[in-house]
Amino acid sequence: MQQIRSSDAAAVLTDPTFVVPPVAAATSGVAWLRATVARFGTGDAHARRRALAVALLAAIPPESLRDAAADHPVAALAPALGIDAPVVALVEDVAQAYQPSTGDEGRADAAVERLVTLCGGVRDETTAARIGLLVQACRATADLIDRCRSAPIDEVLRDRPPAPTTKRQALVAARVGDVTIEAGEVVAVPLAGDLAFGAGPHRCPGRAHALALVEGALGADGGAG
């Protein structure tokens, strides 16, 4: 898989001819989650699912997360999403296989099913959005907190972002900088600095909430911030 230059990343992320690689439809487990969240969607389905995630986040003041006392970002975010049970371990089980072909899907499947139950048992896009927000906040935000204990956040986002790349698939042949990309080819797009939370239609809708979680954790333990 080719990787484009950082200087070309914003152009690709905002170009409608580059899309998130599609995932297969599914009715259960982590494959259902991928197929039902905004993260892996395109077009109208993505817009509708993203709106659900944005609405869920809009009901959570970032400062409430900054003030929440929790050992893990998921432990602070879950109650704000109406999930009162301890779910950090479950969300970690999902996160390790959230990206296709990256982890133990059996473990992730079981965790997704349990999380659906804890969200009310209805397998719909709203439930997927709630679980998806927890998964998106899990590894990336926890890693960001850990890295900011020894360096300022701007430096971490520039030099050691927790999600250093994302993937896009070209719908048509293109030339990006000095890279020739064939139609259907998937490329790695670097995320750092101003693009650490992405750009374009898939930019992270929870940037303010993630930064509040970082600030709250650093304020609690005296990190570099």
Side-chain angles (χ1 to χ4, degrees), residues 211-225:
L211 295 179
L213 287 164
V214 173
E215 291 172 8
L218 296 180
D221 66 14

Side-chain angles (χ1 to χ4, degrees), residues 103-190:
D104 181 344
E105 298 219 357
R107 179 154 56 100
D109 288 344
V112 167
E113 296 309 309
R114 179 59 181 151
L115 287 166
V116 169
T117 298
L118 291 172
C119 287
V122 179
R123 197 183 303 275
D124 60 9
E125 290 185 346
T126 299
T127 296
R130 293 169 75 191
I131 298 172
L133 287 173
L134 292 174
V135 175
Q136 293 286 119
C138 184
R139 283 187 166 180
T141 307
D143 286 349
L144 183 58
I145 290 169
D146 285 343
R147 295 174 190 186
C148 288
R149 298 190 198 282
S150 58
I153 190 167
D154 288 346
E155 180 181 318
V156 172
L157 292 176
R158 183 190 68 219
D159 299 333
R160 292 192 299 147
T165 62
T166 190
K167 295 177 182 178
R168 292 294 184 269
Q169 184 175 44
L171 296 179
V172 298
R175 179 81 176 174
V176 178
D178 59 357
V179 177
T180 299
I181 303 166
E182 302 298 330
E185 184 176 359
V186 175
V187 295
V189 183

Side-chain angles (χ1 to χ4, degrees), residues 75-104:
L77 184 58
L81 289 169
I83 305 170
D84 295 326
V87 295
V88 173
L90 290 173
V91 176
E92 287 179 335
D93 282 348
V94 179
Q96 57 84 32
Y98 191 48
Q99 292 291 332
S101 303
T102 59
D104 181 344

